[in-house]
Amino acid sequence: MTSYKLTYFNFDGGRGEPIRIALHAAGIEFDDERLSFEQFSEMRQGAPFNALPVLNIDGADVTQTNSLLRYVGKMAGLYPTDDLQALYCDEVMSTFEDVNHHVGRTLFLQGDELRLAREQLVDGWLTTFVKGLDKLLVRGGGKYFADNQLTVADLKAFVQVRSLRSGILDHVPTDLVDRLAPALAKHQGRIEADARVVAYYASRS
Ligand SMILES: N[C@@H](CCC(=O)N[C@@H](CS)C(=O)NCC(=O)O)C(=O)O
């Protein structure tokens, strides 16, 4: 039997969380290794590309969130078989990686520097991204981003929109998504209520 170990940070979000949900939805048992930031800094140099998530498959480390999501998504029936729908799914996941990139650049700032950078982000890239993602959702029919059903793009969107609306990011208004991207805000609740997502969180409690 293939062995899987997913290494990521010890919180229910970020790049690792949609992979955990998809692995659970696929019925794949995996070692859910959760590191503190301190533990990560000790092992950082040993991690491929000095970053997480890392999925170890039968002893081999594999990286890159969206590639991992496609791989697990195929096993979970959460990745479109139709090429155009797969393209829609990929487009959304790549767009969220752009969001990660821009937000990531502000993560270690403090005080006024943080406030200024976040305000610029909110008025600039975040506004562009959430409005654009809202349009992609509407293009997909309004309920899901691709394939008229749950895909790994929805899981990634759910985790990231939940974070944007949670207040965890200082100086990012919690109603930003609701104001600029109402379809995207509703989408978060829809995916959160999906039986596969509910089952994953039930398995955690
Ligand atoms: N391109 C990579 C980016 C991975 C990445 O930057 N991960 C962040 C956490 S979400 C990280 O490990 N940062 C630690 C660091 O850069 O030191 C992917 O898609 O997985």
PDB file of all heavy atoms in Angstrom, residues 66 70 79 85-95 153:
ATOM      1  N   ASN A  66      -0.305  23.288  -5.985  1.00  0.00           N
ATOM      2  CA  ASN A  66      -1.326  23.017  -7.003  1.00  0.00           C
ATOM      3  C   ASN A  66      -1.090  21.683  -7.715  1.00  0.00           C
ATOM      4  O   ASN A  66      -2.050  21.009  -8.090  1.00  0.00           O
ATOM      5  CB  ASN A  66      -1.407  24.168  -8.006  1.00  0.00           C
ATOM      6  CG  ASN A  66      -2.033  25.408  -7.395  1.00  0.00           C
ATOM      7  OD1 ASN A  66      -2.567  25.356  -6.277  1.00  0.00           O
ATOM      8  ND2 ASN A  66      -1.959  26.523  -8.086  1.00  0.00           N
ATOM      9  N   ARG A  70      -3.817  18.689  -7.760  1.00  0.00           N
ATOM     10  CA  ARG A  70      -4.277  17.981  -8.971  1.00  0.00           C
ATOM     11  C   ARG A  70      -4.135  16.470  -8.778  1.00  0.00           C
ATOM     12  O   ARG A  70      -5.033  15.699  -9.105  1.00  0.00           O
ATOM     13  CB  ARG A  70      -3.477  18.418 -10.199  1.00  0.00           C
ATOM     14  CG  ARG A  70      -4.034  19.657 -10.869  1.00  0.00           C
ATOM     15  CD  ARG A  70      -3.317  19.943 -12.179  1.00  0.00           C
ATOM     16  NE  ARG A  70      -1.976  20.436 -11.949  1.00  0.00           N
ATOM     17  CZ  ARG A  70      -1.682  21.711 -11.706  1.00  0.00           C
ATOM     18  NH1 ARG A  70      -2.630  22.619 -11.660  1.00  0.00           N
ATOM     19  NH2 ARG A  70      -0.435  22.094 -11.499  1.00  0.00           N
ATOM     20  N   TYR A  79     -11.177  16.419  -9.562  1.00  0.00           N
ATOM     21  CA  TYR A  79     -10.461  17.138 -10.613  1.00  0.00           C
ATOM     22  C   TYR A  79     -11.119  16.774 -11.948  1.00  0.00           C
ATOM     23  O   TYR A  79     -11.307  15.590 -12.245  1.00  0.00           O
ATOM     24  CB  TYR A  79      -8.975  16.756 -10.615  1.00  0.00           C
ATOM     25  CG  TYR A  79      -8.171  17.632 -11.559  1.00  0.00           C
ATOM     26  CD1 TYR A  79      -7.855  18.938 -11.209  1.00  0.00           C
ATOM     27  CD2 TYR A  79      -7.766  17.159 -12.804  1.00  0.00           C
ATOM     28  CE1 TYR A  79      -7.150  19.756 -12.075  1.00  0.00           C
ATOM     29  CE2 TYR A  79      -7.057  17.970 -13.678  1.00  0.00           C
ATOM     30  CZ  TYR A  79      -6.753  19.272 -13.297  1.00  0.00           C
ATOM     31  OH  TYR A  79      -6.057  20.092 -14.161  1.00  0.00           O
ATOM     32  N   GLN A  85     -12.729  22.145 -18.537  1.00  0.00           N
ATOM     33  CA  GLN A  85     -13.082  22.301 -17.117  1.00  0.00           C
ATOM     34  C   GLN A  85     -11.824  22.198 -16.245  1.00  0.00           C
ATOM     35  O   GLN A  85     -11.701  22.900 -15.229  1.00  0.00           O
ATOM     36  CB  GLN A  85     -14.122  21.249 -16.708  1.00  0.00           C
ATOM     37  CG  GLN A  85     -15.450  21.380 -17.441  1.00  0.00           C
ATOM     38  CD  GLN A  85     -16.083  22.768 -17.290  1.00  0.00           C
ATOM     39  OE1 GLN A  85     -16.067  23.346 -16.204  1.00  0.00           O
ATOM     40  NE2 GLN A  85     -16.636  23.307 -18.370  1.00  0.00           N
ATOM     41  N   ALA A  86     -10.892  21.354 -16.663  1.00  0.00           N
ATOM     42  CA  ALA A  86      -9.619  21.253 -15.928  1.00  0.00           C
ATOM     43  C   ALA A  86      -8.851  22.573 -16.018  1.00  0.00           C
ATOM     44  O   ALA A  86      -8.231  23.020 -15.041  1.00  0.00           O
ATOM     45  CB  ALA A  86      -8.785  20.099 -16.495  1.00  0.00           C
ATOM     46  N   LEU A  87      -8.925  23.201 -17.188  1.00  0.00           N
ATOM     47  CA  LEU A  87      -8.273  24.506 -17.356  1.00  0.00           C
ATOM     48  C   LEU A  87      -8.893  25.541 -16.409  1.00  0.00           C
ATOM     49  O   LEU A  87      -8.184  26.311 -15.752  1.00  0.00           O
ATOM     50  CB  LEU A  87      -8.404  24.961 -18.820  1.00  0.00           C
ATOM     51  CG  LEU A  87      -7.882  26.362 -19.147  1.00  0.00           C
ATOM     52  CD1 LEU A  87      -6.387  26.473 -18.916  1.00  0.00           C
ATOM     53  CD2 LEU A  87      -8.213  26.723 -20.601  1.00  0.00           C
ATOM     54  N   TYR A  88     -10.236  25.559 -16.324  1.00  0.00           N
ATOM     55  CA  TYR A  88     -10.910  26.490 -15.406  1.00  0.00           C
ATOM     56  C   TYR A  88     -10.440  26.237 -13.964  1.00  0.00           C
ATOM     57  O   TYR A  88     -10.195  27.173 -13.202  1.00  0.00           O
ATOM     58  CB  TYR A  88     -12.436  26.305 -15.465  1.00  0.00           C
ATOM     59  CG  TYR A  88     -13.101  26.805 -16.730  1.00  0.00           C
ATOM     60  CD1 TYR A  88     -14.413  26.431 -17.033  1.00  0.00           C
ATOM     61  CD2 TYR A  88     -12.459  27.661 -17.613  1.00  0.00           C
ATOM     62  CE1 TYR A  88     -15.059  26.891 -18.175  1.00  0.00           C
ATOM     63  CE2 TYR A  88     -13.095  28.125 -18.756  1.00  0.00           C
ATOM     64  CZ  TYR A  88     -14.389  27.730 -19.038  1.00  0.00           C
ATOM     65  OH  TYR A  88     -15.026  28.184 -20.166  1.00  0.00           O
ATOM     66  N   CYS A  89     -10.364  24.964 -13.619  1.00  0.00           N
ATOM     67  CA  CYS A  89      -9.947  24.573 -12.265  1.00  0.00           C
ATOM     68  C   CYS A  89      -8.512  25.060 -11.998  1.00  0.00           C
ATOM     69  O   CYS A  89      -8.224  25.694 -10.970  1.00  0.00           O
ATOM     70  CB  CYS A  89     -10.053  23.046 -12.164  1.00  0.00           C
ATOM     71  SG  CYS A  89      -9.674  22.349 -10.565  1.00  0.00           S
ATOM     72  N   ASP A  90      -7.630  24.830 -12.951  1.00  0.00           N
ATOM     73  CA  ASP A  90      -6.220  25.243 -12.812  1.00  0.00           C
ATOM     74  C   ASP A  90      -6.092  26.762 -12.713  1.00  0.00           C
ATOM     75  O   ASP A  90      -5.282  27.283 -11.944  1.00  0.00           O
ATOM     76  CB  ASP A  90      -5.402  24.772 -14.024  1.00  0.00           C
ATOM     77  CG  ASP A  90      -5.189  23.270 -14.025  1.00  0.00           C
ATOM     78  OD1 ASP A  90      -5.462  22.624 -12.996  1.00  0.00           O
ATOM     79  OD2 ASP A  90      -4.747  22.743 -15.069  1.00  0.00           O
ATOM     80  N   GLU A  91      -6.892  27.445 -13.529  1.00  0.00           N
ATOM     81  CA  GLU A  91      -6.813  28.910 -13.546  1.00  0.00           C
ATOM     82  C   GLU A  91      -7.117  29.484 -12.157  1.00  0.00           C
ATOM     83  O   GLU A  91      -6.426  30.379 -11.664  1.00  0.00           O
ATOM     84  CB  GLU A  91      -7.814  29.464 -14.571  1.00  0.00           C
ATOM     85  CG  GLU A  91      -7.812  30.985 -14.646  1.00  0.00           C
ATOM     86  CD  GLU A  91      -8.984  31.521 -15.473  1.00  0.00           C
ATOM     87  OE1 GLU A  91     -10.005  30.826 -15.603  1.00  0.00           O
ATOM     88  OE2 GLU A  91      -8.863  32.644 -15.988  1.00  0.00           O
ATOM     89  N   VAL A  92      -8.161  28.932 -11.539  1.00  0.00           N
ATOM     90  CA  VAL A  92      -8.558  29.414 -10.209  1.00  0.00           C
ATOM     91  C   VAL A  92      -7.455  29.121  -9.186  1.00  0.00           C
ATOM     92  O   VAL A  92      -7.082  29.983  -8.380  1.00  0.00           O
ATOM     93  CB  VAL A  92      -9.896  28.748  -9.796  1.00  0.00           C
ATOM     94  CG1 VAL A  92     -10.219  29.015  -8.332  1.00  0.00           C
ATOM     95  CG2 VAL A  92     -11.012  29.242 -10.699  1.00  0.00           C
ATOM     96  N   MET A  93      -6.896  27.918  -9.252  1.00  0.00           N
ATOM     97  CA  MET A  93      -5.850  27.566  -8.274  1.00  0.00           C
ATOM     98  C   MET A  93      -4.616  28.448  -8.456  1.00  0.00           C
ATOM     99  O   MET A  93      -4.003  28.884  -7.476  1.00  0.00           O
ATOM    100  CB  MET A  93      -5.507  26.081  -8.385  1.00  0.00           C
ATOM    101  CG  MET A  93      -6.691  25.189  -8.026  1.00  0.00           C
ATOM    102  SD  MET A  93      -6.221  23.526  -7.577  1.00  0.00           S
ATOM    103  CE  MET A  93      -5.616  22.892  -9.111  1.00  0.00           C
ATOM    104  N   SER A  94      -4.271  28.750  -9.703  1.00  0.00           N
ATOM    105  CA  SER A  94      -3.115  29.619  -9.946  1.00  0.00           C
ATOM    106  C   SER A  94      -3.393  31.039  -9.457  1.00  0.00           C
ATOM    107  O   SER A  94      -2.501  31.710  -8.935  1.00  0.00           O
ATOM    108  CB  SER A  94      -2.778  29.680 -11.437  1.00  0.00           C
ATOM    109  OG  SER A  94      -2.424  28.415 -11.908  1.00  0.00           O
ATOM    110  N   THR A  95      -4.622  31.480  -9.643  1.00  0.00           N
ATOM    111  CA  THR A  95      -4.965  32.837  -9.192  1.00  0.00           C
ATOM    112  C   THR A  95      -4.828  32.937  -7.672  1.00  0.00           C
ATOM    113  O   THR A  95      -4.292  33.915  -7.140  1.00  0.00           O
ATOM    114  CB  THR A  95      -6.400  33.210  -9.631  1.00  0.00           C
ATOM    115  OG1 THR A  95      -6.499  33.044 -11.049  1.00  0.00           O
ATOM    116  CG2 THR A  95      -6.723  34.649  -9.284  1.00  0.00           C
ATOM    117  N   ALA A 153     -10.350  23.190  -6.869  1.00  0.00           N
ATOM    118  CA  ALA A 153     -10.358  24.663  -6.932  1.00  0.00           C
ATOM    119  C   ALA A 153     -11.301  25.223  -5.873  1.00  0.00           C
ATOM    120  O   ALA A 153     -10.998  26.235  -5.224  1.00  0.00           O
ATOM    121  CB  ALA A 153     -10.781  25.133  -8.320  1.00  0.00           C
TER     122      ALA A 153
END
